[in-house]
Amino acid sequence: MSEEREISVNLKDGSSYTICVAKGALATIGEKVAALKPCRTAMIVSDETVGPVYATLVKKRLEEAGYEVYDALVPSGETSKSVEIASELWQELAQRQLCRDDLLVAVGGGVVGDLAGFVAATYMRGIDFVQVPTTLLAMVDASIGGKTGVDLPCGKNLVGSFHQPIYTCADTRCLRTLTDEDWANGFGEIAKSSVVCSERSFYEWLRDHAEDLCAHDDQALEEVVARTAEFKAKVVEQDATESSGIRECLNYGHTLAHAIEAAAGYGEIGHGRAVAEGMRFAARLAVQVLETDTDFVAKQDALLDSLGLEELAWTCNPDRLLKLMKGDKKARGGAIRFVLPHDFTSWELVEVDDDLLMVHLSAWCEAKEKLVEAG
Ligand code: GLY
């Protein structure tokens, strides 16, 4: 195992937890969890893709540490983030007689983490849970900060709760099995974090190591997971429930991204690529609204390109995008809000007037149409 990095998340309510990042970190998960929670029973929730590999390993480690361990595998993919699957898991927990002192362990990507976290948040009014993220996206974003939930047929993440894990174990060895789309999803959130992070050194490091990351260099991957997790931990410490405005920075690029993903049909355009596109759009909007320097836009474009997040060749009707943005749960009273950058490290949450937004959306759709035509 490489040297473990431990990142603390110290919340304002006095609670805290550790995010462990290392290649091979799963080797010690049993003893780490047992030290935190000497309980009898754990239920692992994973999916049918990663479960046979990583949940099996986690189960073995927990059993060695003295736990009685059950596991439940859900179908892979976003459709498992549903009330129906959550209900099946609640029933499984009840049938296995897990009680309030027992533990749930989420092993997988963002879908599994959100679903299992929500089940943990609600079963018996809340039991402890551990996050074992196995994708880059989950390691740098979804497994940190306690956002849990399920989707409804009419929208993503519409039912949920804030419920922080008691421990997050990010073993970068799990990244070996990622698909190209999984990498893009992680790189999109990492690029976003580097722009809104208050320390410019994050962006500079990412710019200088993009090639190593694209080559999946072990050291660079550990470093980027640790840096991004550290950044997110700091944000969550200040605004765990997204109520003071600070956590909103994590939504940079997401206003357009969510609309693009919904318009294309979920799963058609990966989240990371949609976020990258949303960042390009927001940066250009910022030039007009905040007088952001075009040099920033060029630097951000170059960063995204270097991470393999090239411009999206996809378009749709601008009215449809506007309508989808208005329906997003981040909109307030119909007003569409964007995180807009002044530069790296500095951003503002801005309500953008519909007319101005339509001008930009129309131009964006037109430009995209040309890209599509050019093939
Ligand atoms: N993924 C955004 C957040 O955790 O707030």
Side-chain angles (χ1 to χ4, degrees), residues 160-182:
S161 163
F162 285 102
H163 188 56
Q164 303 288 341
I166 60 163
Y167 182 61
T168 292
C169 179
D171 184 341
T172 53
R173 206 172 261 174
C174 299
L175 301 176
R176 284 185 198 152
T177 43
L178 296 192
T179 63
D180 287 350
E181 218 42 54
D182 290 330

Side-chain angles (χ1 to χ4, degrees), residues 141 144 147 192 232 242 247 250-251 254:
D141 189 21
I144 307 163
K147 277 192 180 175
K192 167 208 81 180
K232 183 154 181 189
E242 201 169 88
R247 191 166 176 163
L250 301 176
N251 298 327
H254 285 60

Side-chain angles (χ1 to χ4, degrees), residues 248-305:
E248 299 270 5
C249 71
L250 301 176
N251 298 327
Y252 178 46
H254 285 60
T255 312
L256 181 68
H258 287 158
I260 291 174
E261 287 178 88
Y266 285 114
E268 287 303 310
I269 294 174
H271 182 64
R273 294 189 193 283
V275 168
E277 196 63 34
M279 290 167 63
R280 290 178 196 266
F281 181 80
R284 284 160 175 81
L285 193 57
V287 170
Q288 173 147 15
V289 178
L290 301 179
E291 295 182 9
T292 296
D293 202 313
T294 51
D295 182 52
F296 163 80
V297 181
K299 285 196 169 111
Q300 182 184 269
D301 281 355
L303 178 72
L304 295 170
D305 288 345

Side-chain angles (χ1 to χ4, degrees), residues 5-9 16-20 36 165-169:
R5 298 173 202 226
E6 299 212 320
I7 297 150
S8 296
V9 188
S16 67
Y17 60 98
T18 300
I19 302 161
C20 174
L36 282 168
I166 60 163
Y167 182 61
T168 292
C169 179

Side-chain angles (χ1 to χ4, degrees), residues 110-127:
V111 166
V112 166
D114 286 5
L115 169 72
F118 178 63
V119 169
T122 44
Y123 180 68
M124 291 198 175
R125 299 195 182 87
I127 63 169

Side-chain angles (χ1 to χ4, degrees), residues 223-257:
E223 183 66 33
V224 86
V225 171
R227 278 179 188 256
T228 317
E230 210 163 314
F231 156 71
K232 183 154 181 189
K234 285 206 181 102
V235 171
V236 169
E237 282 176 349
Q238 296 171 77
D239 184 14
T241 54
E242 201 169 88
S243 45
S244 72
I246 295 168
R247 191 166 176 163
E248 299 270 5
C249 71
L250 301 176
N251 298 327
Y252 178 46
H254 285 60
T255 312
L256 181 68

